[in-house]
């Protein structure tokens, strides 16, 4: 068993000529990228789908932050929104319904040199993926997680999601959905180690971009709920909010988002909110009309799981060998008849 | 199978380097009979928390140290803390040791040392003790009014049932040394056993030092005193002694259980991450690994559940660090969807399933081989994966290295199927000699040549080179959806056929690299017994015995179960009858409702019958205990009749 | 297989009750050729959202109404909204209809009506259209500068490839009636088809009323006007017409797809609760049930995930209301652990798996039979469950009633395996006559007689009476742990053997109640084709044709797959060769790497080979499409050669 | 297929002589029960295990509320704590690790006449079962859910649980656990439809009883976190809290718990807290030393899912038959050649 010979291997299956291991830990030079460097294919979302806006925003972000496409990974679950990685010319992982976060965590822990983004639907994140969501907040690994919240199951054709408002008629709730909507923000803000929570809407591109950018710059698990339109199944759902700028509440603060004049002119309902105040954040998060938009909470002091756990020692052959031999020693019976007793 | 030779020994100070050395406590006071044996099966049982497990493990190490062959098996109660003195509460260890290599836990117990009569009765009831065997029983209960009657009744019954009962005032003797004998009795018992089996006292002392190595010197000293006292007590008070000739190994040996061997294999394979969720009986591998990884820079990640653990492992593997996830039945069932993703995405992944009694929560602490079919056929759609079942503790170590290598070479999921029997049994094996080739190569971060595709399936073998994040030019989106060579989502019928083929073909490609499995015994005969996994030792022992009696029986043990190695058809052809013997469920052909049209066969029998169209019979049981050589022997005899 | 008879018809007003009636729009203006056919396969395709599916379904209902045999198959794009005019974006319906009963979706398409040339090219590329078939194509693109060239190129190519292309100015004609032809074109197309196939216009109008029943009268009227216009346009502008003689059924028939039939079966079985989580292609059953349950007082519970759905169903079943949970592959994999609990606790539970393309997320909208092995062997440990695979739409209905009954009688898990093919195909079947016996009995709340135990396994059959909460004296704690007759946790080896046996035996007991499956064709011959599930119609059609040609071939179709019914061994013995034909993966024996020692067989072949030790060959494909009778025929011919 | 004959059935497998269906909906007479009526077997927990205290409290509750044992179901997952149903002489369902809540929900929806209790461990509820926990709060089905929070995995022998405090040495965290503990209370209070949240400790039996009793009387999903000692793996873990009564903060209110003189004398740290104030509840919930004990939040107005969904019509044969025939009608083709068109 220990000497099985894999005689069909001809370099086809095994990695060839690996570079120095440092290459996966350091990015030594500056690069310049264009928007096209991040674009791939024609998105297959419905016209007017809010996912398009989110895609545009993250592509811009990648360009502006000059993220090397090969060092960037977009991870998603399953749903319309989870198709996003397919339209990014970076690495991508379109995983399983509900499981984007644990996949992303595995990537991050293995490779802290990679930038990780996560895109999830509301069913994906808040229904089937809810346990992972809660725990991802607690792990606080450095990644940017976007909840594309369209209040509906898009891909599977209009079933109620946890964030569907009560009374919404869907294919599984023909007489209207039965429960008050889950509020992803208050849930997130209830979890220990929460370090960044924001909310934004897909129809204000500038804010969308700014929010994702702030999330990207946060060190830790940055959670953004993007209220996203699904014109296919809920064509008029957000209409009233879009038409009436006073139904959006702009949160701003010197440590939060900075609202420029243009936005301030249109979205007159504004509130100064210090993102370090979690109690106030929870109160604001509880409101849904007007929709609070901006950074609800930020705490830069929360340690990241991968930092706590990452071992910076180079895992050389001799490190492994010595460690292994030391372990063997603990269990070895030597031919000379006595265990080698070491008292330590 | 035990040859007994009696000899009387007068003040015999050393025998084959055993016996009591001059140092420490003077020459042995023993004047009685010494019986020479080939092997013996000893059991130490107590309420849980009284240290019988530690006593047994130490005893196992000492006899191994002496050069004897040994196999230790844990006796684990199902509850964390069953009530004291309860029939179902026995906690302890069985140590089978002998002059020759011992390959399994053996049959019924020859000698038992019990801390109360209730746990003893539990063992009698479960038929684990040999009728008439020797019993050493703590006698303190005679003086405890509340239980004296129960105790004396039990002793009487056992004696009249033919057991040889020796009462030992362990509590009283220990009180001479420590104030709380509950915490010291186990070392006293160890001393008694060492005395009885004429073991080297100094080795025993060394072992005590090892066992309590991290404790204060005072603790170690009092435990050594207890050991010495037990040794002396046996010499002074018992009228029998055994001696088992040993032959020292010339090579260093490792003594660990299967779970520790697995964990050492993880280290040796160069894997750096293990993602898991606790579950009996798999967890102890992760416990050990959590500790050991600190030395070499690896991480055990305890995820929020098994699904997360598997997905976490998949993420890490995708990112270039082939990862292992360790679980048992219920967790394995939960991972099915994620395993399918790894198969579809062709992500290398090592999954360990330490099987326990099923179905459902079943018998968490008991052994079974019930998960083979779900391992091969689990996950919806066609999800081909490699399945390897280690047969020995040593296999547990090496299989991890093999698994990692196959996983990364073929970009496949490799499942290692062990069980509670291997997980908690100890058997010495040759200390492995470190080989650089064991380790995973560093992560490939070279640029991808233009035009190369992430699923460039080789038309002959199905293999493709994997792209790892960080490789310039290799950007693509891995997906669990049907996809083409570029990893683009594709629902084209031809593409689906092509990609299904590539994933399936890799198994055939791997199969071509395997050797036919060795036959134990002659290549032709009346009966071929076929087994897999942890039952190897018991099956081969039974076959060996029957062969010695002139029966034309051989056995075949499979380690690779998917793909099955080549050459099996030819082997089967050499035998008149074939039967699989497994530790899982099959309907008995003797049951009233059962006939050929509805009998449910054992897992391996189904696989072999289907592939080779040979009328392979099966016999199996689900008793939660390792198969006994005697049982196997009886089954073979009946099947040959 | 199509007999064509040409006849010229002059002002023929009625033929077999078809043709255009006097009412509404005057006698038909048609003066051309009328071809009499036995059957035809028509396809209507558009971008998604243009209503081709509705058109096709209505057409199917109308031909059924006329007394023709019919089978409709949905053409579903994989994306919610693929780009307009895209090759992979075809959405629509295939309607196979003929004088005789139609049992499957048939071979290539005879006539297609397409709303743009791109979706048409997609169908040509996927080889779904018969070479040289008739194409009716929306001509508006000629006038659209951006796409005119693509359009005219396509038309030219198709013509030169031998297709008969007729351009129809649908958009233009519709504009005469409605302002947004995108929303009305489908009814115009329906009219064209009704005209072409000489169908009864009044029936078509009735169908339009049914289709738009809930909409405003104005909507209905304009749709009828579009229908009429299409009918008239065909009469006036096309020089060919078909006529397919029909024989009216004397009994009422139901026209639904397999998912609706399943849901109706849930109602009819008396089940009151369905716990589910959305997943394609299973969800539409729950959609329909959500609505229909409102009438009879049942509940569809959309849980937070499949695990919760399954556990919710288990809780409800345990509490006395046998519950169904409906899912597809990925969800089925997730439910494995919970299914094991139901098996262990002997809780009646009906699980529906509407199979889609696997593994992993695979091909969500495509059909496959890839989940059979994981259904039988899924869940760790020995978890025996009943597996039933409906073969027709009608079976979908009745299998739910059977499933509920078996689940509650045997306290077992019953899995219904359908697939995307059945889920979305329509075929008329005899309207069921309600039978009180279908319904579940009311919850038993009688007191439990003293001494009765919750797992009083009958020693012969394994059956036990279930205790339901609320029954005085029946208090016990159900557990997924190994347990004795009292449901007390027990790790005793004997008890474990006993309870494993009882759970396994129930399958044998059920098997004794089953009849041998009927053979299609002679009971002996050169070749037996074996299938299961949705492929029945295609296989039997191919076998029928070959038999007509004198080939000694028969077929066997299995509905009960676990337990397998009795009598199969005897059936197999009647044939020289046997082969399973399945819609799942098997290695091709012609592949370079593949030989007898590593070939991976199809699911049913594995099961049958293992049980009967007969060298059953297999052929299968994973193209995501229903098997075609022509393909089956070719495979059989090759296998017989 | 539709005429399979189950000829082996001889009343053994099928239910015999069912009573009138009303019997499962109504409890018409008063019964008197003793404590022993609810006790079964000898609990197999370690000496001093806090689970014993919880068992005693629920047995007392059953007696005091005279719950008919046959109408009462205790549902649990897997863990030491989940053994509790085995020691109750009621109906019990010892399900799967993490899945107690969906099982309990199924029981409740099928049988609103049954009283349902749920016992879960901290791994059970907050780790593997987290998604179900979040959603159970949202469903707000009428049941009493107890989280036996011993901060550790008991049954599997001492691994870190989500509620393990940072630094706790366990078998999977030999150098101490890596993350701040999850706070089950703040998570619960972040979920929409939350209707009852309480916290109590196992070592004050009177309060334990009062709290469980209040939860039992709440109509809706009553969630109680019981801080439970595990002397086996964490023998001194709660010692300091037990020794020092000021490390417990008694929450009392006329709409919350009433603290009697005896308790008030020992536990002098008290705070009046109105359980209808969710913002204050969240603030209090965030504190862990002193341990807030009592009812943090209560809202009697939240509708219960089973009430919204339960159909009170008697499901007679004719109801089913008529419904089914009406559905058949929708899809029927009649021999007379025309669909029966009904415009409604
Ligand atoms: C295990 C599993 N269950 C169910 C599905 C089916 N499924 C795919 S996407 C989806 C939900 C889509 O809704 P959401 O997550 O909100 O994403 P959206 O499409 O709205 O962006 C479901 C239920 C699946 N693919 N896998
Ligand atoms: C699916 C599954 N995973 C893991 C286990 C193993 N397991 C049993 S109980 C348990 C956790 C016990 O901790 P907790 O839930 O806190 O309960 P406690 O024992 O502390 O009361 C685990 C991991 C299991 N039985 N099933
Ligand atoms: S269905 Fe909704 S969410 Fe999906 S692509 Fe269309 S608009 Fe977007
Ligand atoms: S291990 Fe801990 S939680 Fe489990 S029974 Fe013992 S004390 Fe209680
Ligand atoms: Mg959504
Ligand atoms: Mg716990």
């Amino acid at each position: 068993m220990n000497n099985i010979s894999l005689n069909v291997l001809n370099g086809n299956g095994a990695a060839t000529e690996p570079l120095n291991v440092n290459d996966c830990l350091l990015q030594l030079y500056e690069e310049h990228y264009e928007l096209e460097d991040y674009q791939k294919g024609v998105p297959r979302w419905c016209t007017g789908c809010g996912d398009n806006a989110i895609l545009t925003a993250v592509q811009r972000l990648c360009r502006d932050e000059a993220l090397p496409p090969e060092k960037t990974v977009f991870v998603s679950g399953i749903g319309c929104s989870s198709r996003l990685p397919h339209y990014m010319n970076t690495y991508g992982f379109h995983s399983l319904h509900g499981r984007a976060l644990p996949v992303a965590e595995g990537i991050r822990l293995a490779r802290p040199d990679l930038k990780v983004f996560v895109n999830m639907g509301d069913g994906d994140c808040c229904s089937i993926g809810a346990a992972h969501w809660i725990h991802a907040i607690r792990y606080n690994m450095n990644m940017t997680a976007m909840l594309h919240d369209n209040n509906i199951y898009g891909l599977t054709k209009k079933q109620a999601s946890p964030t569907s408002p009560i009374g919404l008629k869907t294919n599984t709730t023909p007489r209207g959905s039965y429960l008050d909507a889950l509020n992803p923000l208050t849930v997130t803000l209830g979890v220990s180690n929460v370090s960044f929570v924001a909310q934004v809407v897909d129809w204000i591109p500038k804010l969308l971009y700014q929010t994702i950018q702030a999330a990207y710059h946060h060190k830790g698990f940055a959670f953004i709920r993007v209220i996203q339109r699904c014109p296919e199944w809920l064509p008029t759902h957000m209409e009233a909010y879009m038409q009436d700028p006073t139904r959006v509440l702009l949160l701003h603060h010197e440590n939060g988002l900075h609202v420029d004049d243009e936005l301030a002119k249109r979205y007159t309902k504004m509130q100064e909110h210090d993102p370090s105040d979690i109690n106030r954040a929870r109160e604001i998060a509880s409101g849904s009309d007007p929709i609070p938009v901006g950074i609800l909470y930020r705490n830069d002091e929360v340690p990241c799981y991968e930092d706590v756990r990452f071992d910076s020692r180079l895992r050389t052959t001799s490190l492994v060998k010595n460690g292994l031999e030391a372990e063997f020693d603990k269990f070895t019976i030597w031919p000379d008849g006595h265990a080698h007793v070491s008292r330590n | 199978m035990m040859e007994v030779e009696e000899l009387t020994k007068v003040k015999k100070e050393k025998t084959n380097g055993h016996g009591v050395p001059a140092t420490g406590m003077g020459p042995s006071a023993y004047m009685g009979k010494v019986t020479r044996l080939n092997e013996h099966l000893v059991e130490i049982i107590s309420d849980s928390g009284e240290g019988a497990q530690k006593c047994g493990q130490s005893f196992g190490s000492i006899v191994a140290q002496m050069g004897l062959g040994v196999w230790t098996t844990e006796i684990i109660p199902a509850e964390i803390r069953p009530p004291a003195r309860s029939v179902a509460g026995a906690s302890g260890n069985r140590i089978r040791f002998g002059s020759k290599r011992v390959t399994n836990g053996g049959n019924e117990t020859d000698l038992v040392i019990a801390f109360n009569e209730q746990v003893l009765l539990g063992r009698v009831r479960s038929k684990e003790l040999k009728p008439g065997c020797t019993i050493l029983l703590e006698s303190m209960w005679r003086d405890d009014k509340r239980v004296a009657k129960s105790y004396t009744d039990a002793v009487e019954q056992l004696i009249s049932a033919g057991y040889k009962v020796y009462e030992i005032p362990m509590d009283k003797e220990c009180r001479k040394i420590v104030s709380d004998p509950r915490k010291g009795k186990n070392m006293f018992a160890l001393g008694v056993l060492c005395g009885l089996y004429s073991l080297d006292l100094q080795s025993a002392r060394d072992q005590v030092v090892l066992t309590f190595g991290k404790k204060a010197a005072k603790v170690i000293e009092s435990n050594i005193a207890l050991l010495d006292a037990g040794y002396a007590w046996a010499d002074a008070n018992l009228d029998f002694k055994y001696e088992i000739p040993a032959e020292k190994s010339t090579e260093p040996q490792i003594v660990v259980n299967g779970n520790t061997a697995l964990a050492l294999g993880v280290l040796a394979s160069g894997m750096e991450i293990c993602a898991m969720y606790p579950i009996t009986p798999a967890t102890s591998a992760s416990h050990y690994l959590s500790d050991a990884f600190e030395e070499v820079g690896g991480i055990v990640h305890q995820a929020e559940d098994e699904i997360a653990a598997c997905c976490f492992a998949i993420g890490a593997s995708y990112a270039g660090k082939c990862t292992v996830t360790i679980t048992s039945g219920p967790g394995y069932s939960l991972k099915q969807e994620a395993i399918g993703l790894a198969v579809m995405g062709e992500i290398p992944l090592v999954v360990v399933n330490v099987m326990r009694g099923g179905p459902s929560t079943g018998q968490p602490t008991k052994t079974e081989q019930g998960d083979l079919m779900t391992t091969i056929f689990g996950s919806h759609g066609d999800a081909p994966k490699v399945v390897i079942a280690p047969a020995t503790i040593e296999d547990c170590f090496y299989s991890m290295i093999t698994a990692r290598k196959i996983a990364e070479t073929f970009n496949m999921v490799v499942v290692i199927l062990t069980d509670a029997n291997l997980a908690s049994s100890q058997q010495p094996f040759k200390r492995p000699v470190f080989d650089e080739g064991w380790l995973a190569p560093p992560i490939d971060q070279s640029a991808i040549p233009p035009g190369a595709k992430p699923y460039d399936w080789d038309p002959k073998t199905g293999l493709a080179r994997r792209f790892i994040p960080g490789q310039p030019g290799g950007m693509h989106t891995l997906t669990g959806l049907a996809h083409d060579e570029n990893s683009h989502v594709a629902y084209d019928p031809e593409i689906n056929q092509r990609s299904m083929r590539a994933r399936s073909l890799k198994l055939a490609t791997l199969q071509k690299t395997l050797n036919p499995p060795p036959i134990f015994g002659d290549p032709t005969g009346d009966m071929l017994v076929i087994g897999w996994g942890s039952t190897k030792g018991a099956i081969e022992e039974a076959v060996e015995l029957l062969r010695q009696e002139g029966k034309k029986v051989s056995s075949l043990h499979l380690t690779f179960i998917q793909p099955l190695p080549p050459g099996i058809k030819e082997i089967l052809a050499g035998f008149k009858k074939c039967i699989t013997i497994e530790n899982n469920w099959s309907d008995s052909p003797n049951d009233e409702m059962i006939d050929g049209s509805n009998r449910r066969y054992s897992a391996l029998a189904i696989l072999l019958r289907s592939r080779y169209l040979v009328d392979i019979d099966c016999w199996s049981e689900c008793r939660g205990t390792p198969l006994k050589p005697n049982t196997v022997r009886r089954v073979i005899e009946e099947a040959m009749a």
Side-chain angles (χ1 to χ4, degrees), chain B residues 547-592:
Chain B
R547 292 180 61 78
Q548 284 169 8
E549 294 171 10
K551 296 263 165 48
K552 291 198 163 59
V553 51
S554 300
S555 67
L556 183 69
H557 210 78
L558 299 177
T559 302
F560 271 85
I561 305 190
Q562 177 146 295
L564 284 166
I568 295 177
K569 187 175 177 167
E570 296 69 20
I571 295 172
L572 297 176
F575 294 87
K576 292 201 188 123
K577 282 186 180 178
C578 304
I579 188 170
T580 71
I581 294 188
E582 308 179 48
N583 208 341
N584 53 25
W585 182 257
S586 63
D587 290 332
S588 160
N590 305 325
D591 233 323
E592 186 179 345

Side-chain angles (χ1 to χ4, degrees), chain A residues 75-339:
Chain A
V75 185
S76 66
I78 297 289
C80 291
S81 38
S82 290
R83 285 297 180 95
L84 188 141
H86 286 282
Y87 311 132
M88 294 296 303
N89 189 29
T90 59
Y91 280 88
F93 197 135
H94 180 207
S95 72
L96 295 174
H97 189 40
R99 318 300 173 193
L101 288 167
V103 169
E105 291 155 10
I107 295 171
R108 236 345 256 176
L109 193 75
R111 295 286 301 277
D113 60 313
L114 301 175
K115 296 284 178 205
V116 177
F117 295 82
V118 185
N119 299 83
M120 300 169 284
D122 41 334
D124 210 37
C125 174
C126 308
S127 197
I128 190 169
H132 312 310
W133 169 39
I134 301 297
H135 286 271
I137 300 163
R138 185 167 171 257
Y139 295 133
N140 192 42
M141 297 181 80
N142 194 2
M143 55 181 76
T144 309
M146 288 158 263
L147 166 60
H148 300 221
D149 191 352
N150 56 5
N151 295 184
I152 196 79
Y153 282 17
L155 189 65
T156 45
K157 306 197 169 181
K158 201 179 185 182
Q159 296 85 23
S161 108
T163 60
S164 294
I166 190 166
L168 189 75
K169 287 195 177 152
T170 74
N171 281 319
T172 42
T173 59
R175 308 289 190 274
S177 89
Y178 309 98
L179 297 167
D180 261 331
L182 189 81
N183 183 332
L185 300 176
T186 54
V187 173
T188 305
L189 288 164
V191 181
S192 324
N193 282 345
V194 58
S195 76
F196 183 102
V197 182
Q199 177 160 272
V200 68
V201 296
D202 75 22
W203 60 87
I204 315 180
K206 190 178 280 177
L207 269 183
L208 180 62
Y209 176 83
Q210 272 186 278
T211 310
I212 297 177
Q213 191 186 39
Y216 168 76
H217 284 292
H218 171 73
K219 186 165 181 328
F221 185 74
F223 179 80
I224 315 165
R225 179 198 195 193
V226 184
I227 295 181
Q228 173 235 326
R229 286 164 299 163
C230 171
E232 179 75 9
W233 308 125
L234 304 175
T236 60
H237 189 54
M238 299 313 294
E239 200 61 25
Y241 289 91
M242 287 178 63
Q243 294 313 327
D244 181 355
T246 67
R247 292 183 70 183
V248 167
L249 172 70
L250 284 196
L251 304 175
H252 64 101
H253 190 267
E254 52 174 340
N255 296 322
L257 283 197
H258 303 262
V259 176
D260 71 10
D261 292 349
E262 193 195 326
L263 281 174
K265 222 154 115 190
R266 177 158 166 82
Y267 298 96
T268 49
K269 213 169 227 165
M270 307 225 293
Q271 191 175 103
E272 190 165 9
H273 165 62
D274 177 354
S276 69
D277 180 350
I278 194 157
N279 291 325
R280 186 71 196 112
R282 287 174 178 157
E283 279 175 47
I284 294 173
S286 302
S288 59
D289 190 2
I291 302 169
V293 159
I295 300 175
L296 283 109
Y297 183 65
R298 170 150 73 192
N299 179 350
D300 297 330
E301 306 301 314
V302 185
C304 292
Y305 183 71
E306 69 270 42
D307 294 344
V308 177
R309 304 228 55 188
F310 192 72
D311 194 317
S312 61
R313 282 174 295 178
L314 258 193
R315 215 162 177 284
T316 56
T317 303
S318 67
L319 180 74
V320 176
K321 178 179 184 333
N322 294 341
L324 191 61
E325 299 286 6
E327 292 301 319
F328 284 160
D329 285 349
K330 292 187 187 159
F331 308 110
T332 299
I333 293 171
W334 297 95
D336 60 16
H338 287 276

Side-chain angles (χ1 to χ4, degrees), chain B residues 113 122 254 280 305 317 322 427 433:
Chain B
I113 180 161
I254 298 253
T280 307
D305 62 18
S317 276
C322 179
Q427 184 203 26
V433 180

Side-chain angles (χ1 to χ4, degrees), chain B residues 389-408:
Chain B
T392 63
I393 311 293
E394 186 175 21
D395 272 358
C396 290
F397 175 79
Y398 287 107
S399 66
M400 292 308 296
I401 299 168
T402 308
R404 204 271 307 148
K405 201 166 268 172
I406 294 176
E408 291 210 298

Side-chain angles (χ1 to χ4, degrees), chain B residues 78 329-330 333 341 344 359-363 370-371 374 377-382 460 480-482 491 493-494 496-497 500-501 504 511-512 585 587 591-593 595-600 606 609-611 613 615 621-623:
Chain B
S333 284
L341 171 65
M344 186 62 141
S360 196
T361 315
Q363 305 202 102
D371 299 356
T374 202
F377 296 114
S379 214
H380 59 283
D382 190 53
K460 185 178 157 193
L481 282 165
Y491 299 121
E494 299 303 335
N496 201 47
Q497 281 282 110
M500 300 283 276
R501 175 176 170 274
S504 182
Q511 195 251 11
K512 297 276 188 213
W585 182 257
D587 290 332
D591 233 323
E592 186 179 345
M593 280 283 176
D595 58 42
S597 74
N598 62 24
R599 180 179 180 202
R600 300 178 63 234
I606 295 176
R609 288 170 62 88
S610 171
R611 179 162 298 289
L613 302 175
D615 192 0
E621 62 173 18
C622 276
R623 300 174 57 84

